[in-house]
Amino acid sequence: MNPVALITGASRGIGRGIALALAAEGHDLIVNYAANAAAATQTASDCAATATAAGRAIRVEVYQADVADRSARDKLVQFTRERFGRIDLLVNNAGVAPTTRADILDADEASFDRLMNINVKGPYFLTQQIARWMIEQQTSAPAAGHPPKIVTISSISAYTASVNRGDYCLAKAALSMLTPLFAARLAEYGIQTFEIRPGIIATDMTQAVQAKYDALIANGLTPIRRWGTPDDVGRAVAAIARNALPFSTGEVINVDGGFHLRIL
């Protein structure tokens, strides 16, 4: 029986990279998306092909749900129950950037509310639902060799001040507390939680600032002088998924080219 992974925001970018990495590991997948059905369908097809190339046979389902919406979250969890009957890995990846970057002296509440709803409230309450289900599994029919895990994708913006997108930084800082909270609550059930903290990753979200970051990276912003890729993040999630860290929980794993280092 394959382990089952639900990945939110998996149609493009980092979510797609995670889905492809887990497909190669032999996970059955729920590819969640909010709006781009064509991209989600393509990701699902590519995941199936990746698994086949790796000698794996997996099932991939696509499901539309806005994680900020309570009813949509409920339906996403119910869909996963009906199609797979269990859950082994939740990857909280869905998130948005500000529609318009604005100085913190000029920023409006509408953007703040949107980011907090999608980037914080959504993953918090989805994790709550999935955690209850995982506890149910662990107390009734635990899967041998596949202890359940929750992985949340945050950002270096959790601790890096960007004064033209303060709402995004605040949302990511709040999201970072999700992992230690659930780590402390769920450890007694054998459920591990991790935070992956990506740095500058080449995705649709960062295309608009490519020239800026090309120059910063070339000048030593990160010790590893290149852009990160969705595959870099996917590899980190895959390592967790294959139980490579059995005596760890609540950990932050930086996938940032060394950006977090303080160097003299």
Side-chain angles (χ1 to χ4, degrees):
M1 179 175 63
N2 293 339
V4 178
L6 165 58
I7 311 161
T8 65
S11 63
R12 299 178 297 160
I14 288 174
R16 172 183 163 83
I18 294 167
L20 290 169
L22 292 175
E25 293 286 325
H27 279 64
D28 289 341
L29 302 173
I30 302 93
V31 173
N32 161 252
Y33 72 100
N36 195 331
T41 300
Q42 185 62 56
T43 292
S45 176
D46 291 344
C47 284
T50 296
T52 298
R56 309 277 193 172
I58 67 169
R59 291 173 55 201
V60 186
E61 298 280 356
V62 174
Y63 193 82
Q64 189 276 332
D66 177 355
V67 297
D69 180 84
R70 179 177 181 175
S71 176
R73 289 194 305 269
D74 290 345
K75 291 175 182 177
L76 173 60
V77 174
Q78 185 59 34
F79 175 85
T80 305
R81 280 185 176 270
E82 291 172 354
R83 295 300 176 97
F84 293 98
R86 66 175 299 103
I87 185 73
D88 299 283
L89 173 63
L90 168 65
V91 182
N92 288 310
N93 172 72
V96 295
T99 303
T100 303
R101 294 188 178 210
D103 186 281
I104 56 174
L105 299 180
D106 303 315
D108 61 55
E109 291 190 30
S111 178
F112 184 94
D113 290 344
R114 172 176 173 264
L115 264 68
M116 287 295 175
N117 283 337
I118 297 172
N119 294 359
V120 182
K121 186 182 81 170
Y124 181 84
F125 285 104
L126 179 60
T127 298
Q128 181 189 73
Q129 285 185 275
I130 294 296
R132 289 171 176 167
W133 183 10
M134 287 178 169
I135 291 170
E136 175 189 317
Q137 287 179 174
Q138 288 295 86
T139 55
S140 59
H146 297 297
K149 297 172 177 62
I150 297 166
V151 177
T152 298
I153 311 301
S154 67
S155 167
I156 57 174
S157 291
Y159 64 89
T160 304
S162 297
V163 297
N164 63 346
R165 50 181 189 141
D167 43 12
Y168 184 78
C169 295
L170 285 168
K172 291 301 183 179
L175 182 64
S176 282
M177 181 50 69
L178 185 150
T179 292
L181 284 169
F182 279 96
R185 185 66 180 86
L186 301 178
E188 66 179 287
Y189 300 101
I191 301 167
Q192 297 170 283
T193 77
F194 296 88
E195 176 186 345
I196 304 291
R197 192 174 284 169
I200 301 167
I201 307 296
T203 67
D204 292 350
M205 189 182 292
T206 54
Q207 276 186 342
V209 289
Q210 180 177 345
K212 171 185 174 180
Y213 286 118
D214 280 346
L216 288 171
I217 291 168
N219 288 324
L221 179 68
T222 56
I224 300 175
R225 295 193 182 190
R226 68 168 175 85
W227 282 74
T229 67
D231 180 64
D232 290 320
V233 183
R235 287 170 180 265
V237 176
I240 293 168
R242 75 172 73 99
N243 208 33
L245 303 170
F247 196 50
S248 299
T249 194
E251 290 293 334
V252 176
I253 298 174
N254 292 288
V255 183
D256 64 357
F259 175 86
H260 66 282
L261 298 173
R262 296 180 180 182
I263 302 171
L264 289 175

